[in-house]
Amino acid sequence: MNRQVAGVRGVAALLPDAAAAWTRVEERARAWLWAYGFQEIRLPVLERTELYARAVGEVTDIVEKEMYTFLDRNGDSLSLRPEGTAGCVRAGIEAGLFHHQTQRLWYLGPMFRHERPQKGRYRQFHQLGVEAYGMAGPDIEAELVALGERLLGAFGVKARLLINSLGTPECRSRYRAALVAYLEGHAAALDEDSRRRMARNPLRVLDSKNPEMAEVLASAPRIADFWNEDARAHFDGFSERLRALGVRYEVAPRLVRGLDYYSHTVFEWVAEDLGAQATVCAGGRYDGLVGELGGAPTPAAGFALGLERLMALARDLPAGRALDVFVMTPAALNARALTLAESLRDAGLGVEVHLGGASPKSQMKRAQQSGARCLARIEETGVVLRGPGDSESHVAWSDAAERITTSLGARNETS
Ligand code: HAM
């Protein structure tokens, strides 16, 4: 036998059972997105590398270490998208979507980050992202959180909501100075990465995943002490609305998020039973980004839900529609089986025909695995039907389609 080609580490196929579950989850999620007035946007997987350097930030884990970047045949540096917000803003600016109008957009698809794979962390993973443009007040953030709660609740996911504010750019520059002063005072306790970041992007030191840094970071100044009136009013407005909506939250003073584009509100849902990779959904406000990427200044906020993590946590997955009929047949009668299947499909039923020429025993095994409500065995003399229920009957060939359709009740998902 020839040597097999291995798949890429951290990049998995979704096998049929999983894919079917994902599709049903996506359908339920779509219904909630519709209920909140969001419209789908389908974004490309490839963008210019510069987009992420400018949007996510040069000095972030994503851009420094995790992107799949390559030169294409024209010599342009391109990257597989590590997240969806930057591409959504880029596409929206190019298409003029943000001119004097609000937008509520969502997307779903694969993202790519060269992280160390472990449970809940993959190199190709999927996000359901939601982005709202043109709304400056905290109302939209509260509405986004309500939507996030619905999406998690729809699948029985239990997660704590953490919220914080990064304030305005003015608050951040004062905070930055205080943080640098603190970090300089503790330079000996910092690892090499953090010392480098301290000079270029000190807030990112707070994202350090090095456990040895936890202690020194725990006593670092808190951004809330640097909020100005604007920042405080925005945060108070946001948390008041959450309370009015009955959403439970915890204020997390050290939550800064790992991407540079946020201002004001940031939030994350952290699940209890997901181990180290516990953040299932995360986002915040990013008012500066549209302007930063060459558009007119536009307020914006959004979040992204990690679908692998959602699937790992989901307790309540919607049931799929089982196949209606499984047709077993000796190879010599395949043509009859195909004809019967076509008339059943005309009536809106889902039908699988066993065309593998297997023994009756293995056909029956496959038929039972299929979960079909009715099994039909083609014989020279007619058709043997079993189900719904355990009843078995022998019907004439010419009556078979009608008998099956009547006993199952016609359904028409295909037309
Ligand atoms: P993020 O926090 O980088 O934010 O990712 C959002 C979610 O994607 C995470 O909470 C997690 O569930 C999932 N995720 C991230 N990396 C991985 C991975 N390697 N394997 C599995 N799941 C992963 C963003 O991407 C922002 N664009 C969110 C946003 C939208 N902010 C505003 N709008």
Side-chain angles (χ1 to χ4, degrees):
M1 272 217 276
N2 292 329
R3 189 175 58 85
Q4 293 181 6
V5 179
V8 177
R9 201 160 111 80
V11 175
L14 275 182
L15 299 177
D17 282 350
W22 278 57
T23 301
R24 299 196 300 273
V25 165
E26 287 167 18
E27 280 164 4
R28 196 181 271 182
R30 271 172 193 270
W32 279 117
L33 292 158
W34 174 84
Y36 282 75
F38 282 80
Q39 290 181 299
E40 184 177 8
I41 182 166
R42 298 200 181 195
L43 297 166
V45 169
L46 273 185
E47 294 279 357
R48 292 177 189 281
T49 304
E50 179 195 356
L51 176 69
Y52 300 112
R54 281 171 54 188
V56 175
E58 298 256 21
V59 187
T60 57
D61 278 351
I62 293 179
V63 171
E64 283 185 334
K65 306 179 188 164
E66 296 171 0
M67 285 210 294
Y68 283 88
T69 296
F70 60 95
L71 292 181
D72 76 356
R73 288 172 195 275
N74 302 329
D76 293 326
S77 178
L78 304 182
S79 294
L80 292 179
R81 59 181 182 191
E83 59 101 52
T85 309
C88 188
V89 169
R90 197 271 311 143
I93 294 171
E94 268 186 20
L97 297 188
F98 307 139
H99 275 305
H100 310 297
Q101 54 190 323
T102 61
Q103 291 286 354
R104 291 165 177 253
L105 305 174
W106 69 268
Y107 49 84
L108 185 155
M111 309 288 160
F112 303 85
R113 297 184 193 176
H114 194 275
E115 296 190 80
R116 201 167 46 75
Q118 64 179 78
K119 187 170 182 293
R121 188 167 70 193
Y122 309 96
R123 290 183 174 168
Q124 175 174 324
F125 60 97
H126 296 76
Q127 284 184 347
L128 167 59
V130 172
E131 315 288 358
Y133 298 95
M135 290 161 265
D139 302 284
I140 185 64
E141 292 150 35
E143 203 184 5
L144 284 167
V145 166
L147 170 58
E149 291 271 312
R150 294 271 196 192
L151 291 172
L152 296 173
F155 306 105
V157 173
K158 298 232 181 314
R160 288 153 55 215
L161 171 64
L162 309 181
I163 65 170
N164 192 20
S165 168
L166 301 181
T168 63
E170 185 268 329
C171 312
R172 265 218 308 291
S173 69
R174 283 185 297 117
Y175 175 60
R176 189 187 153 111
L179 184 62
V180 170
Y182 173 83
L183 295 172
E184 279 172 352
H186 296 78
L190 301 182
D191 59 16
E192 201 189 312
D193 242 14
S194 301
R195 257 177 263 151
R196 191 175 47 77
R197 287 181 170 194
M198 181 172 78
R200 295 187 60 197
N201 192 353
L203 243 73
R204 293 281 74 85
V205 176
L206 302 175
D207 300 333
S208 171
K209 288 163 194 150
N210 180 352
E212 287 165 23
M213 300 260 308
E215 202 176 312
V216 64
L217 295 181
S219 319
R222 296 169 169 217
I223 189 128
D225 296 326
F226 296 81
W227 289 347
N228 56 21
E229 243 170 72
D230 220 20
R232 182 164 296 284
H234 194 105
F235 186 74
D236 288 347
F238 172 57
S239 35
E240 253 163 48
R241 282 160 183 77
L242 291 186
R243 289 194 296 277
L245 291 171
V247 174
R248 292 175 56 176
Y249 61 86
E250 294 164 38
V251 179
R254 292 185 202 289
L255 178 64
V256 291
R257 309 269 302 119
L259 306 90
D260 279 354
Y261 47 62
Y262 294 107
S263 58
H264 286 293
T265 309
V266 288
F267 49 84
E268 288 190 358
W269 281 269
V270 180
E272 272 120 52
D273 36 6
L274 208 62
Q277 303 305 318
T279 305
V280 58
C281 186
R285 178 165 285 283
Y286 53 97
D287 288 344
L289 187 59
V290 180
E292 189 80 28
L293 294 178
T298 306
F303 67 74
L305 176 64
L307 289 176
E308 282 77 6
R309 295 184 191 176
L310 174 77
M311 295 305 287
L313 291 163
R315 289 163 214 237
D316 170 17
L317 286 177
R321 177 181 168 181
L323 196 65
D324 293 309
V325 187
F326 192 99
V327 181
M328 293 165 282
T329 176
L333 299 179
N334 274 358
R336 273 196 186 186
L338 290 177
T339 311
L340 174 64
E342 285 306 316
S343 27
L344 296 173
R345 290 174 188 137
D346 283 342
L349 298 176
V351 187
E352 180 180 337
V353 184
H354 198 298
L355 292 173
S359 68
K361 198 170 152 206
S362 73
Q363 291 202 28
M364 181 52 90
K365 198 168 155 210
R366 171 75 197 110
Q368 279 162 346
Q369 281 167 353
S370 77
R373 295 191 296 149
C374 171
L375 310 188
R377 195 171 69 242
I378 311 282
E379 295 183 344
E380 281 291 349
T381 54
V383 183
V384 178
L385 301 181
R386 185 194 295 178
D390 276 339
S391 59
E392 190 161 299
S393 54
H394 190 281
V395 295
W397 168 244
S398 53
D399 297 336
E402 204 184 320
R403 277 287 288 279
I404 296 172
T405 316
T406 318
S407 68
L408 293 182
R411 290 198 279 169
N412 243 339
E413 268 185 28
T414 42
S415 57

